[in-house]
Amino acid sequence: MSGTYDTVLVVDFGAQYAQLIARRVREAHVYSEIVPHRITASEVQKKNPRAIILSGGPKSVHVDGAPVLDPAIYDLGIPIFGICYGHQLIAQQLGGEVSRGGRGEYGRALLTRNSEKSTLLHDLPSEYSVWMSHFDFVARLPEGFVSSASTPDAPIAVMENAQRKVWAVQFHPEVVHSEYGQKVLERFLIELAGCTPNWTMDSIIDTQVAAIRAQVGNARAICGLSGGVDSSVAAALVHKAIGAQLTCVYVDTGLMRKGESEQVVEMFERNMGIELIHVRAGEKFFDKLAGVIEPEAKRKAIGELFVRIFEENTGGVTDAEFLVQGTLYPDVIESGGSDGTASVIKSHHNVGGLPEDMTLKLVEPLRTLFKDEVRKLGSELGLPDEMVWRQPFPGPGLGVRIIGEVTPERVATLQEADAIVREEVRLAGLEREIWQAFAVLADIRSVGVMGDERTYGHPIIIRAVTSDDAMTADWARLPYDLLEKMSNRIINEVAGINRVVYDVTSKPPGTIEWE
């Protein structure tokens, strides 16, 4: 991301630590960028960072093939902060000693400060709780370093060399379980590394508007709206930059949630004044899905038809040179682009399954942002809460929440049940605590009793999960009275449903979606 921001490089040594660290840095209003551990000193210099953070990782520094850092990076004079694996790697590479064995520490541990002169911890309590996850430990300091804190199983839990501008901690300050963790990170970033905390939503908007105008110039751009948060925010941001040069295409697959298509059209066309082509293609999708049962075949059929209809319905915008996509930073990282060199378009993006011969150039104004940042950006751009806080929704829509054949009747049934689930979650005040809550329609029947009649109806499965990024998820512990309310309403209000069950599977081993 260009702009007058200081940049902090987060060197990724594995697991999911790097993403969490990057988010915590951004919470301090400092821009962060994740880079692979293979980055060279010359590549670091080109990025001109204000500071470098070495992340944790799943390996031991003693394992064959364990990731290392280009030693020349230590000599660049850029402030460095090591966390867990990064802490041990600094010790090993700069001449200290990392011991194998011991019993390790996992979970909470008591950190005891043993130096009043610590530049990192100087005004924090002498003892407080931190989160540990390590087996090896630093046994001997590199030359010029001092130890400023310890835990029962890590004699050197914090080490620092202020003259060389290198600090390192064995614990994980990025997790909420570490007391004063964010304060320690901000101490490094702002006081010790001298970063200016000016990376805000306003500054992001200004920078991206300028970048979009520079990229697009006077050309036309089109955006495939999915109705989700990412494509909506991307469209609003690009529209702010180039106005009437942007045309949005909304392919209504007939597989959207209840009332969603109307809301998308209302917001973009009437409230925001963005030119919107609304393609009502439900009939075509149902024809294509007739008799299709296998989950992957359904996904493929929906994706291929979506692309074809999108290409056919650009509303005569034959002179468009750019395609706007709501690609987010985790998508870039997962696609192998964390080093800024890859630009892999994944099939789950807003215009899923883009053709290889596509000549449009991509505009991806959100590719440096995480999901929570995109929501904040959407609010700053004036999008309504019901759009900004909309739950993630799969590209194939309700097609992957219906087990078995997808028909108009089954979609209508699921839309009603799903609307009840989401409404009750909202009324319970849990909408922002839950990553996703939705209904699934199963292709089985069971016997029930309604009044004096025996019934033979379908079950609805309620799925609700908590997550930060959808890479892992836990089933949400919804209150029993809320589940009871959902069940009663669904059975009483949705024809053909006589049983409601709740999915208590986490990810892994399950997926969030059912298909």
Side-chain angles (χ1 to χ4, degrees):
M1 173 174 286
S2 59
T4 55
Y5 314 120
D6 290 328
T7 296
V8 173
L9 300 183
V10 178
V11 182
D12 185 2
F13 286 105
Q16 294 302 318
Y17 300 110
Q19 285 205 36
L20 186 53
I21 294 165
R23 291 167 73 129
R24 294 291 182 252
V25 171
R26 293 177 180 205
E27 285 173 19
H29 302 299
V30 178
Y31 178 65
S32 61
E33 183 179 317
I34 298 172
V35 295
H37 66 84
R38 296 177 298 277
I39 193 167
T40 64
S42 62
E43 289 169 338
V44 167
Q45 282 182 304
K46 286 176 188 171
K47 289 181 176 288
N48 192 30
R50 173 70 70 168
I52 299 169
I53 297 178
L54 309 186
S55 85
K59 293 187 177 179
S60 162
V61 294
H62 295 293
V63 172
D64 286 342
V68 296
L69 190 70
D70 180 354
I73 291 173
Y74 295 110
D75 299 322
L76 296 176
I78 299 168
I80 294 175
F81 186 64
I83 295 174
C84 194
Y85 182 90
H87 167 78
Q88 295 175 7
L89 186 64
I90 289 170
Q92 184 189 64
Q93 289 192 300
L94 296 185
E97 182 185 339
V98 177
S99 283
R100 310 176 76 163
R103 42 179 207 178
E105 283 178 308
Y106 300 93
R108 282 188 175 83
L110 188 67
L111 184 81
T112 302
R113 183 156 50 90
N114 51 31
S115 170
E116 293 300 320
K117 296 180 180 178
S118 170
T119 54
L120 188 65
L121 310 174
H122 63 80
D123 62 348
L124 298 182
S126 57
E127 289 187 337
Y128 59 91
S129 178
V130 295
W131 194 260
M132 290 287 202
S133 179
H134 70 102
F135 189 72
D136 297 344
F137 63 92
V138 176
R140 180 169 54 81
L141 289 165
E143 188 178 342
F145 280 76
V146 294
S147 172
S148 49
S150 62
T151 65
D153 290 289
I156 301 171
V158 178
M159 63 181 188
E160 39 192 300
N161 185 335
Q163 189 173 358
R164 196 167 182 176
K165 301 181 184 175
V166 180
W167 295 264
V169 298
Q170 182 61 69
F171 62 93
H172 286 276
E174 74 275 18
V175 303
V176 294
H177 309 297
S178 285
E179 289 185 280
Y180 306 102
Q182 187 67 11
K183 187 157 188 176
V184 169
L185 271 176
E186 290 180 10
R187 167 70 45 76
F188 167 72
L189 292 168
I190 295 162
E191 293 184 30
L192 301 178
C195 296
T196 302
N198 63 349
W199 197 72
T200 62
M201 285 301 128
D202 285 342
S203 66
I204 293 167
I205 291 171
D206 292 343
T207 301
Q208 284 305 316
V209 163
I212 293 162
R213 286 174 180 163
Q215 181 186 6
V216 177
N218 295 319
R220 296 289 301 278
I222 55 173
C223 176
L225 279 180
S226 67
V229 179
D230 305 339
S231 66
S232 298
V233 174
L237 186 54
V238 172
H239 183 255
K240 184 177 178 69
I242 62 172
Q245 293 166 240
L246 173 69
T247 298
C248 289
V249 179
Y250 175 55
V251 177
D252 186 347
T253 62
L255 306 172
M256 308 303 285
R257 290 170 286 203
K258 184 179 180 180
E260 196 157 51
S261 293
E262 294 81 0
Q263 188 187 44
V264 170
V265 173
E266 178 76 23
M267 186 183 74
F268 280 92
E269 201 169 43
R270 300 196 180 98
N271 296 343
M272 298 184 67
I274 296 178
E275 183 185 355
L276 177 68
I277 299 165
H278 182 193
V279 186
R280 294 171 178 82
E283 200 172 308
K284 290 183 180 179
F285 279 90
F286 288 122
D287 287 345
K288 183 85 172 177
L289 290 168
V292 181
I293 306 294
E294 201 271 321
E296 198 53 40
K298 278 199 275 186
R299 284 180 177 270
K300 190 173 180 184
I302 294 167
E304 286 176 352
L305 182 57
F306 186 99
V307 171
R308 193 161 74 247
I309 291 173
F310 179 79
E311 286 181 313
E312 290 170 356
N313 290 274
T314 52
V317 188
T318 54
D319 58 341
E321 294 180 29
F322 293 90
L323 173 67
V324 178
Q325 281 218 130
T327 311
L328 303 192
Y329 198 33
D331 299 327
V332 176
I333 297 164
E334 288 175 20
S335 301
S338 64
D339 58 358
T341 58
S343 182
V344 181
I345 304 164
K346 296 174 69 179
S347 64
H348 67 242
H349 285 177
N350 300 309
V351 189
L354 291 169
E356 291 181 10
D357 59 352
M358 186 189 76
T359 57
L360 296 172
K361 290 169 281 207
L362 288 179
V363 179
E364 298 175 305
L366 310 179
R367 65 179 284 116
T368 60
L369 303 180
F370 290 102
K371 190 80 170 189
D372 54 336
E373 294 169 327
V374 170
R375 294 192 196 278
K376 290 176 190 170
L377 186 62
S379 295
E380 288 291 323
L381 289 166
L383 297 181
D385 278 359
E386 59 265 29
M387 177 63 74
V388 170
W389 288 96
R390 177 168 286 165
Q391 294 175 4
F393 190 57
L398 297 180
V400 293
R401 292 178 181 172
I402 292 174
I403 313 304
E405 187 178 13
V406 178
T407 66
E409 296 74 26
R410 300 193 77 201
V411 168
T413 297
L414 182 55
Q415 282 176 332
E416 294 301 322
D418 182 72
I420 290 169
V421 170
R422 291 184 295 115
E423 182 183 20
E424 290 299 336
V425 166
R426 179 178 58 79
L427 292 173
L430 297 174
E431 199 169 34
R432 297 194 185 185
E433 293 178 31
I434 291 174
W435 180 261
Q436 279 173 278
F438 56 87
V440 175
L441 179 60
D443 191 25
I444 55 174
R445 285 183 159 188
S446 65
V447 174
V449 178
M450 298 177 79
D452 296 325
E453 301 281 332
R454 283 170 66 84
T455 61
Y456 192 50
H458 292 283
I460 283 288
I461 299 129
I462 296 174
R463 178 76 160 140
V465 298
T466 57
S467 179
D468 287 326
D469 49 23
M471 292 180 180
T472 60
D474 195 12
W475 63 275
R477 273 63 171 174
L478 297 182
Y480 289 154
D481 59 345
L482 174 58
L483 289 170
E484 181 183 31
K485 203 178 290 185
M486 290 176 179
S487 177
N488 287 341
R489 281 196 61 192
I490 289 170
I491 289 171
N492 288 330
E493 297 175 29
V494 184
I497 303 300
N498 68 350
R499 193 178 294 267
V500 175
V501 299
Y502 188 52
D503 182 349
V504 294
T505 313
S506 296
K507 175 189 177 182
T511 54
I512 294 178
E513 299 293 342
W514 266 58
E515 286 207 344

